[in-house]
Amino acid sequence: AQRVTQPEKLLSVFKGAPVELKCNYSYSGSPELFWYVQYSRQRLQLLLRHISRESIKGFTADLNKGETSFHLKKPFAQEEDSAMYYCALFNQGAQKLVFGQGTRLTINP
Amino acid sequence: DSGVTQTPKHLITATGQRVTLRCSPRSGDLSVYWYQQSLDQGLQFLIQYYNGEERAKGNILERFSAQQFPDLHSELNLSSLELGDSALYFCASSGTINTGELFFGEGSRLTVL
């Protein structure tokens, strides 16, 4: 069975400081991982996917198969980054997207 | 707005009752997904439909059922409601099956009293 773990329910950092939101997974197959974000009063939306290795809004995430991690990072946090962040794994066999519990990120001015 | 739309936005009902939540996918999307988000459980996958056919099933209770109609809208039926069914129910859609890239609606908040 697959599992996605986000160990921090809450994370608070100061503006300009680096941010790292942790995500660990367990999955027997080849993982497809995603980060979704929900800003205040907005719907849940895709932030980035590991396959494209892109940087969105300054965020990057590297898949580390050895550590089974997919941490989300940003070198300099901005106030508009305050949101709920969800790590998700796509289970190819079961054809379902499984989410972690989410981390609420607060950027303090 | 051609995004995913869900109705109603809020619903308050009593234990033992039955409710229906409705979802219209993005224009052109054939896949519809239902998720339940409660405080202690996070986002839990319930069920997926593709072009009217059930494709994948998650932790959906027997009291819950869903379907996707020929016009591609979907309904989630929740019956014999219990207090623990109070949650935010999200619908999402995608243009293809077998993808983790979903487009979400704003959710329907169900409160069971």
Side-chain angles (χ1 to χ4, degrees):
Chain A
Q2 73 289 319
R3 189 176 181 88
V4 178
T5 304
Q6 293 179 251
E8 303 138 328
K9 277 192 173 176
L10 303 169
L11 184 62
S12 184
V13 301
F14 285 102
K15 178 181 168 183
V19 172
E20 182 179 67
L21 292 95
K22 291 184 167 50
C23 172
N24 289 90
Y25 67 91
S26 64
Y27 182 56
S28 55
S30 184
E32 281 185 58
L33 287 148
F34 303 82
W35 277 98
Y36 278 77
V37 61
Q38 188 171 26
Y39 301 103
S40 179
R41 296 190 191 87
Q42 293 186 31
R43 59 188 70 196
L44 191 61
Q45 58 187 284
L46 178 66
L47 179 62
L48 55 79
R49 70 218 86 175
H50 92 268
I51 286 177
S52 54
R53 299 183 63 82
E54 58 203 338
S55 172
I56 303 291
K57 299 184 180 183
F59 284 99
T60 58
D62 288 319
L63 176 59
N64 186 324
K65 290 187 179 181
E67 295 183 359
T68 60
S69 69
F70 188 55
H71 302 328
L72 184 68
K73 299 177 184 179
K74 184 168 182 176
F76 308 104
Q78 298 172 295
E79 287 186 63
E80 53 265 34
D81 296 328
S82 293
M84 193 76 181
Y85 291 81
Y86 293 92
C87 182
L89 180 149
F90 184 67
N91 182 326
Q92 287 271 3
Q95 291 192 23
K96 60 181 182 180
L97 187 64
V98 177
F99 286 86
Q101 295 280 73
T103 298
R104 181 167 297 283
L105 175 65
T106 301
I107 307 300
N108 300 304
Chain B
D1 182 1
S2 59
V4 178
T5 57
Q6 291 186 247
T7 56
K9 283 190 166 43
H10 302 276
L11 191 54
I12 301 174
T13 188
T15 54
Q17 295 298 304
R18 173 190 170 95
V19 298
T20 297
L21 308 179
R22 182 189 167 101
C23 168
S24 293
R26 286 189 324 157
S27 178
D29 283 357
L30 300 179
S31 270
V32 169
Y33 310 75
W34 286 98
Y35 281 82
Q36 179 193 55
Q37 184 181 45
S38 52
L39 280 174
D40 56 342
Q41 292 289 320
L43 268 164
Q44 298 290 315
F45 171 72
L46 295 178
I47 199 162
Q48 179 203 357
Y49 282 84
Y50 177 78
N51 204 19
E53 304 256 336
E54 183 184 305
R55 291 287 301 186
K57 214 165 185 176
N59 300 324
I60 187 166
L61 299 171
E62 282 191 19
R63 299 183 286 109
F64 296 1
S65 65
Q67 55 184 323
Q68 187 179 26
F69 294 87
D71 67 353
L72 301 177
H73 91 271
S74 178
E75 292 181 357
L76 179 66
N77 301 297
L78 316 173
S79 61
S80 303
L81 286 168
E82 301 175 359
L83 296 177
D85 297 328
S86 295
L88 198 51
Y89 291 85
F90 283 107
C91 174
S93 73
S94 67
T96 61
I97 56 171
N98 217 23
T99 179
E101 297 184 27
L102 307 186
F103 296 86
F104 280 82
E106 293 180 313
S108 292
R109 183 171 295 282
L110 173 66
T111 303
V112 182
L113 300 175

